[in-house]
Short mmCIF file of all heavy atoms in Angstrom, two decimals:
data_model
loop_
_atom_site.label_atom_id
_atom_site.label_comp_id
_atom_site.label_asym_id
_atom_site.label_seq_id
_atom_site.Cartn_x
_atom_site.Cartn_y
_atom_site.Cartn_z
N MET R 1 0.82 -1.19 0.00
CA MET R 1 0.00 0.00 0.00
C MET R 1 0.87 1.26 0.00
O MET R 1 0.62 2.19 -0.76
CB MET R 1 -0.91 -0.06 1.23
CG MET R 1 -1.79 1.12 1.38
SD MET R 1 -3.12 0.99 0.19
CE MET R 1 -4.14 2.27 0.75
N ILE R 2 1.88 1.26 0.86
CA ILE R 2 2.76 2.43 0.94
C ILE R 2 3.59 2.54 -0.33
O ILE R 2 3.86 3.63 -0.81
CB ILE R 2 3.64 2.34 2.21
CG1 ILE R 2 2.75 2.42 3.43
CG2 ILE R 2 4.71 3.42 2.21
CD1 ILE R 2 3.45 2.40 4.74
N GLU R 3 3.97 1.38 -0.88
CA GLU R 3 4.72 1.40 -2.14
C GLU R 3 3.91 2.00 -3.26
O GLU R 3 4.41 2.80 -4.06
CB GLU R 3 5.11 -0.05 -2.52
CG GLU R 3 6.58 -0.34 -2.33
CD GLU R 3 6.88 -1.75 -2.78
OE1 GLU R 3 6.67 -2.06 -3.96
OE2 GLU R 3 7.32 -2.52 -1.92
N GLN R 4 2.64 1.64 -3.34
CA GLN R 4 1.77 2.20 -4.37
C GLN R 4 1.60 3.71 -4.18
O GLN R 4 1.58 4.47 -5.15
CB GLN R 4 0.41 1.51 -4.34
CG GLN R 4 0.45 0.07 -4.79
CD GLN R 4 -0.89 -0.61 -4.62
OE1 GLN R 4 -1.77 -0.10 -3.94
NE2 GLN R 4 -1.04 -1.77 -5.25
N LEU R 5 1.48 4.11 -2.93
CA LEU R 5 1.35 5.54 -2.64
C LEU R 5 2.61 6.29 -3.05
O LEU R 5 2.54 7.37 -3.64
CB LEU R 5 1.04 5.75 -1.16
CG LEU R 5 0.74 7.15 -0.72
CD1 LEU R 5 -0.49 7.67 -1.46
CD2 LEU R 5 0.53 7.23 0.76
N ASN R 6 3.76 5.73 -2.77
CA ASN R 6 5.02 6.35 -3.18
C ASN R 6 5.14 6.43 -4.70
O ASN R 6 5.61 7.43 -5.24
CB ASN R 6 6.21 5.58 -2.60
CG ASN R 6 6.42 5.88 -1.12
OD1 ASN R 6 6.00 6.92 -0.64
ND2 ASN R 6 7.04 4.94 -0.42
N GLN R 7 4.70 5.38 -5.40
CA GLN R 7 4.72 5.40 -6.85
C GLN R 7 3.79 6.48 -7.40
O GLN R 7 4.14 7.19 -8.35
CB GLN R 7 4.34 4.03 -7.41
CG GLN R 7 5.40 2.97 -7.23
CD GLN R 7 4.93 1.62 -7.73
OE1 GLN R 7 3.76 1.44 -8.06
NE2 GLN R 7 5.85 0.65 -7.77
N LEU R 8 2.61 6.60 -6.81
CA LEU R 8 1.68 7.65 -7.25
C LEU R 8 2.25 9.04 -7.01
O LEU R 8 2.10 9.93 -7.85
CB LEU R 8 0.34 7.49 -6.52
CG LEU R 8 -0.56 6.36 -7.00
CD1 LEU R 8 -1.78 6.23 -6.09
CD2 LEU R 8 -0.99 6.60 -8.42
N ILE R 9 2.91 9.22 -5.88
CA ILE R 9 3.52 10.52 -5.58
C ILE R 9 4.63 10.81 -6.59
O ILE R 9 4.75 11.93 -7.09
CB ILE R 9 4.03 10.56 -4.13
CG1 ILE R 9 2.85 10.57 -3.16
CG2 ILE R 9 4.93 11.76 -3.90
CD1 ILE R 9 3.23 10.42 -1.72
N GLU R 10 5.45 9.82 -6.91
CA GLU R 10 6.52 10.02 -7.88
C GLU R 10 5.96 10.36 -9.26
O GLU R 10 6.47 11.24 -9.96
CB GLU R 10 7.39 8.76 -7.97
CG GLU R 10 8.32 8.58 -6.78
CD GLU R 10 9.12 7.30 -6.87
OE1 GLU R 10 9.25 6.74 -7.99
OE2 GLU R 10 9.62 6.86 -5.83
N GLN R 11 4.89 9.67 -9.67
CA GLN R 11 4.26 9.96 -10.96
C GLN R 11 3.69 11.37 -10.97
O GLN R 11 3.79 12.09 -11.97
CB GLN R 11 3.17 8.95 -11.26
CG GLN R 11 3.69 7.58 -11.61
CD GLN R 11 2.56 6.58 -11.83
OE1 GLN R 11 1.39 6.91 -11.63
NE2 GLN R 11 2.90 5.37 -12.22
#
Side-chain angles (χ1 to χ4, degrees):
M1 179 75 170
I2 295 182
E3 253 182 61
Q4 291 175 345
L5 186 60
N6 284 337
Q7 287 177 352
L8 285 174
I9 291 172
E10 285 178 20
Q11 288 177 356

